[in-house]
């Protein structure tokens, strides 16, 4: 009797703490669609009735054990994320790889509910008879149930211990392989099996967008985010009942703007882990019926539609083209956008201006020549080679800016994004002690029609005042600060002393953009310049990593 009492006294048994039901509502994400369910059985019935996919039948026919079931779930989720709603489950060979032990969905409640999976045609829980039971029989039944639960808990603990161990080994092996391949010394060299390691320009890029900080920075950039919101909400008639593609959706903010504006369907695509949080954000805001999230590169995923009416994307990088995301947006345009479809934003313009900033040079360059009385000129090595990202005041610009590249995004091609010898001419508006460098920024325009255009010398600062259509913003010194700020290219005068220049002198030159040879996401910028009437001339290459 004392043993029975101890078994029934669950409140004092610390071993049962993990078995107590969680107060939080269980949310089981559908294996196929975007729906969320309160329990496993309703989710499986939905998959069977709506998608004609019987998970339990597949599991039983393939004779899957606990880890095999884990692999099957993660395989299906992986395929669905990539746009394939009919994954091949005819054979275990499709998901034998141990990478499918790694959860595809963070905190996937389905993986923690495997013991609830029970074929509706199989054994059912035995219900007690309707007739009243004697106290002794009820107590005996309760004791039996407690013993069953103890055994069930022990079985689950063992299974998940095995699962954790398998996942840990899989990740260790995979990370070790990736580290060996990505080591600079191994890049492009033959591996022991004779296969040449393929250079990967994308892994770090997509990983960098998996964390909250970068998205918080972008969302708090109200110049950026307000421009998208204002254009979308002010032009709801353009979105009504339209299909929209969001390339590089991040947190899903632009997709949700479009859904709220009346889009009938929005497809949000991202290849970083942020897509999982975007999906949650979309569900939490009740937009799961409109927005479909897909994990993968836009060039590789399969969209659930043949064409879209609108493509929206925040693809702009530092100096506009750093990170080369526009390449993917243009690919999506050519593949999916209807003939009369709309690109958002629709136009961008790159600007440059000469820089004179003796205070900055004194603080960051001359500083190293005497640090507490010590010469530290070694710190100046390569200081002129990299494009610096700074927020500047327009007062340090020695001439009015000039445009050197326009991108009308309905017609721009990938070849337009790499260029050399784009000419520029700038006239100094004041006397300066030295030409310290150049500044680069861009303007972005959101116009409501494909037929709308932006003139070469139009600027975002004046766009609204001059009655321009739509919305525009600048990342230049003449506007409020954005997270892009400006690109600063300091001139290395070497051993030659910089020349003082006079108001009215003209700077002529050429500028070029080129993807770096060792990483296509990075950027080289080259400028040649010549100041009329003096020996101030040069040619210099800067990089962005």
């Amino acid at each position: 009797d004392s043993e029975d009492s101890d078994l029934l006294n669950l409140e004092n048994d610390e071993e049962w703490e993990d078995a107590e039901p969680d107060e939080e509502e269980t949310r089981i994400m559908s294996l196929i669609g975007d729906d969320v369910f309160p329990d496993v059985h309703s989710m499986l019935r939905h998959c069977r009735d709506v998608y004609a996919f019987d998970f339990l039948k597949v599991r039983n026919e393939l004779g899957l054990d606990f880890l095999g079931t884990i692999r099957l779930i993660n395989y299906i989720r992986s395929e669905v994320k990539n746009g394939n709603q009919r994954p091949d489950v005819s054979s275990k060979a499709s998901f034998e790889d141990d990478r499918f032990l790694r959860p595809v969905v963070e905190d996937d409640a389905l993986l923690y509910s495997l013991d609830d999976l029970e074929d509706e045609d199989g054994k059912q829980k035995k219900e007690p008879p309707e007739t009243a039971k004697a106290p002794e029989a009820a107590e005996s039944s309760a004791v039996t149930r407690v013993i069953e639960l103890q055994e069930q808990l022990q079985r689950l603990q063992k299974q998940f211990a095995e699962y954790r161990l398998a996942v840990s080994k899989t990740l260790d092996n995979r990370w070790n392989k990736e580290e060996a391949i990505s080591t600079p010394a191994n890049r492009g060299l033959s591996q022991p099996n004779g296969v040449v390691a393929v250079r990967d320009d994308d892994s770090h890029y997509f990983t960098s967008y998996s964390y909250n900080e970068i998205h918080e920075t972008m969302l708090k950039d109200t110049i950026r985010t307000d421009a998208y919101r204002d254009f979308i909400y002010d032009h709801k008639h353009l979105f009504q009942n339209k299909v929209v593609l969001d390339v590089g959706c991040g947190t899903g903010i632009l997709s949700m703007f479009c859904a709220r504006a009346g889009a009938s369907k929005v497809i949000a695509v991202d290849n970083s882990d942020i897509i999982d949080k975007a999906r949650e954000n979309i569900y939490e805001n009740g937009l799961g019926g409109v927005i479909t999230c897909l994990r993968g590169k836009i060039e590789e995923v399969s969209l659930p539609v043949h064409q879209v009416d609108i493509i929206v994307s925040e693809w702009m990088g530092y100096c506009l083209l750093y990170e080369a995301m526009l390449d993917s947006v243009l690919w999506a345009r050519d593949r999916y956008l209807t003939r009369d479809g709309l690109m958002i934003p629709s136009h961008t313009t790159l600007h440059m201006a000469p820089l004179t900033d003796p205070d900055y040079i004194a603080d960051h360059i001359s500083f190293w020549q005497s640090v507490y009385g010590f010469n530290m000129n070694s710190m100046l090595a390569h200081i002129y080679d990299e494009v610096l990202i700074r927020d500047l005041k327009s007062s340090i610009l020695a001439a009015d800016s000039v445009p050197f590249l326009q991108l009308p995004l309905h017609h721009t091609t990938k070849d337009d994004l790499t260029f050399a010898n784009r000419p520029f001419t700038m006239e100094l508006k004041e006397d300066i002690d030295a030409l310290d460098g150049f500044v680069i920024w861009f303007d972005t325009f959101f116009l409501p029609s494909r037929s709308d255009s932006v003139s070469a010398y139009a600027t975002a600062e004046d766009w609204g005042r001059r009655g321009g259509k739509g919305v525009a913003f600048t990342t230049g010194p003449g506007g409020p600060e954005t997270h892009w700020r400006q690109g600063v290219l300091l001139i290395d005068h070497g051993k030659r002393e910089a020349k003082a220049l006079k108001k009215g002198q003209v700077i002529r030159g050429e500028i070029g953009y080129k993807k770096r040879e060792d990483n296509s996401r990075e950027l080289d910028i080259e400028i040649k310049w010549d100041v009329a009437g003096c020996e101030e001339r040069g040619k210099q290459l800067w990089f962005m990593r």
Side-chain angles (χ1 to χ4, degrees):
D1 290 341
S2 62
E3 287 185 3
D4 293 349
S5 299
D6 289 340
L7 285 171
L8 290 172
N9 189 11
L10 302 182
E11 292 182 357
N12 296 328
D13 193 345
E14 295 181 355
E15 296 296 325
W16 279 88
E17 289 180 358
D18 292 337
E20 293 178 1
D22 197 312
E23 293 183 0
E24 293 186 5
E25 180 185 1
T26 302
R27 295 168 61 87
I28 306 290
M29 186 180 297
S30 173
L31 276 170
I32 307 296
D34 294 329
D35 302 281
V36 177
F37 300 87
D39 59 76
V40 175
H41 294 290
S42 57
M43 185 274 288
L44 294 180
R45 284 195 298 272
H46 179 81
C47 289
R48 186 179 64 235
D49 297 342
V50 175
Y51 298 102
F53 179 75
D54 192 333
F55 177 84
L56 294 174
K57 182 179 179 182
V58 171
R59 185 191 67 167
N60 293 338
E61 287 180 349
L62 295 178
L64 300 180
D65 59 9
F66 180 80
L67 292 182
T69 305
I70 292 282
R71 289 188 180 94
L72 174 60
I73 291 171
N74 289 323
Y75 164 71
I76 294 171
R77 293 214 186 279
S78 176
E79 289 292 297
V80 170
K81 272 194 171 185
N82 289 329
N84 178 19
Q85 293 192 339
R86 294 186 176 277
D88 179 12
V89 293
S90 60
S91 168
K92 287 190 281 188
S94 299
F95 50 90
E96 283 184 335
D97 194 314
D98 281 348
R99 65 190 175 92
F100 293 117
L101 289 173
R102 183 180 183 181
V104 174
V105 174
E106 186 176 0
D107 297 327
D108 191 347
L110 179 56
L111 298 179
Y112 298 98
S113 306
L114 295 185
D115 202 61
D116 294 336
L117 294 178
E118 181 176 318
D119 194 331
E120 294 178 0
D121 297 326
K123 66 174 185 179
Q124 302 294 326
K125 293 180 179 179
K126 296 180 180 179
E127 297 294 336
E130 296 291 337
T131 56
K133 298 179 181 179
E136 296 81 2
E139 182 176 345
S140 175
S141 175
V143 171
T144 301
R145 180 59 181 152
V146 168
I147 294 173
E148 290 176 352
L149 288 174
Q150 282 183 318
E151 293 174 348
Q152 178 181 338
L153 178 61
Q154 291 172 354
R155 184 172 68 256
L156 283 174
Q157 288 173 334
K158 180 181 179 182
Q159 289 175 335
F160 276 100
E162 292 174 351
Y163 177 42
R164 284 194 297 269
L165 179 61
V167 171
S168 176
K169 289 181 178 178
T170 300
L171 293 180
D172 286 344
N173 291 337
R174 188 166 299 277
W175 285 336
N176 289 338
K177 291 177 182 177
E178 290 176 354
E179 183 177 359
I181 292 175
S182 63
T183 301
N186 293 334
R187 249 181 230 139
L189 298 181
S190 295
Q191 300 302 303
N193 60 5
V195 177
V196 176
V198 178
R199 195 182 78 196
D200 182 7
D201 295 348
D202 294 334
S203 294
H204 175 73
Y205 168 69
F206 289 116
T207 300
S208 69
Y209 282 91
S210 299
Y211 307 107
N212 280 14
E213 184 178 5
I214 191 169
H215 295 284
E216 180 178 350
T217 297
M218 292 190 291
L219 289 171
K220 287 181 176 178
D221 182 347
T222 56
I223 301 301
R224 161 204 182 265
T225 310
D226 286 3
Y228 281 89
R229 180 203 61 190
D230 293 348
F231 178 80
I232 293 169
Y233 284 178
D234 291 348
H235 298 83
K236 289 185 177 180
H237 64 283
L238 297 176
F239 293 83
Q240 197 68 36
N241 299 320
K242 293 296 194 297
V243 178
V244 180
L245 172 60
D246 182 357
V247 181
C249 67
T251 59
I253 184 67
L254 303 186
S255 293
M256 291 189 282
F257 286 158
C258 294
R260 286 276 172 86
S264 60
K265 187 175 189 62
V266 181
I267 304 161
V269 180
D270 205 297
N271 195 38
S272 77
D273 291 342
I274 196 66
I275 191 71
D276 295 325
K277 294 181 180 178
R279 185 179 286 105
E280 292 181 24
N281 295 337
I282 288 162
Y283 291 146
E284 290 295 330
N285 287 278
L287 298 172
V290 178
I291 304 172
T292 298
C293 293
L294 297 179
R295 167 69 180 268
K297 298 179 183 179
I298 187 62
E299 297 90 343
E300 298 175 359
V301 298
S302 297
L303 266 57
V305 297
H306 294 297
Q307 289 187 310
V308 299
D309 303 299
I310 298 171
I311 292 179
V312 62
S313 180
E314 197 277 76
W315 54 265
M316 299 82 78
Y318 296 130
C319 295
L320 187 62
L321 298 181
Y322 176 65
E323 292 183 329
M325 183 178 168
L326 181 55
D327 298 49
S328 296
V329 176
L330 297 182
W331 186 94
R333 179 201 65 189
D334 296 340
R335 172 64 178 82
Y336 293 111
L337 191 64
T338 59
R339 292 175 65 89
D340 59 348
L342 191 64
M343 295 289 290
I344 301 174
S346 58
H347 298 75
T348 58
T349 303
L350 271 164
H351 296 267
M352 66 182 298
L355 163 72
T356 179
D357 191 356
D359 291 337
Y360 183 88
I361 298 300
D363 288 344
H364 298 281
I365 306 299
S366 303
F367 163 77
W368 295 109
Q369 295 171 2
S370 179
V371 182
Y372 287 91
F374 297 100
N375 185 316
M376 293 191 178
N377 279 339
S378 64
M379 305 302 294
L380 295 174
H382 307 298
I383 201 168
Y384 295 99
D385 298 342
E386 188 169 1
V387 179
L388 307 175
I389 303 302
R390 299 284 187 270
D391 183 53
L392 305 176
K393 303 300 181 184
S394 56
S395 58
I396 67 171
L397 303 183
D400 292 332
S401 68
V402 295
F404 65 91
L405 181 70
Q406 281 193 292
L407 297 177
L409 297 172
H410 293 101
H411 309 291
T412 296
T413 67
K414 185 176 178 180
D415 290 341
D416 296 329
L417 310 185
T418 298
F419 54 89
N421 307 324
R422 303 284 300 191
F424 63 83
T425 301
M426 300 177 286
E427 182 178 333
L428 296 179
K429 60 184 180 181
E430 60 187 25
D431 294 348
I432 60 175
D433 294 331
L435 177 61
D436 293 320
F438 299 94
V439 185
I440 293 175
W441 66 89
F442 62 90
D443 289 352
T444 303
F445 301 85
F446 303 75
L447 305 188
S449 170
R450 289 178 64 97
S451 61
D452 293 330
S453 61
V454 176
S455 66
Y457 285 87
T459 62
E461 295 101 309
D462 297 331
W463 188 252
R465 292 195 298 269
R466 294 179 179 273
K469 296 180 181 179
V471 175
F473 70 84
T474 184
T475 63
E481 181 179 357
T482 70
H483 78 280
W484 288 286
R485 293 170 283 178
Q486 298 92 47
V488 179
L489 295 75
L490 295 179
I491 293 175
D492 182 2
H493 290 284
K495 296 181 180 179
R496 296 183 304 165
E497 185 176 348
K499 304 291 184 181
L501 302 176
K502 296 292 185 181
K503 177 180 178 180
Q505 285 188 276
V506 175
I507 306 173
R508 291 186 175 87
E510 298 173 341
I511 183 170
Y513 271 38
K514 183 177 68 173
K515 295 180 175 68
R516 285 182 64 81
E517 292 182 359
D518 58 350
N519 190 327
S520 62
R521 296 284 179 183
E522 298 175 353
L523 186 64
D524 283 339
I525 302 177
E526 184 176 71
I527 299 179
K528 306 171 189 175
W529 70 95
D530 189 350
V531 181
C534 74
E535 296 181 359
E536 177 61 53
R537 63 177 56 89
K539 173 182 175 182
Q540 190 170 331
L541 181 70
W542 294 265
F543 63 80
M544 298 192 71
R545 290 180 180 168

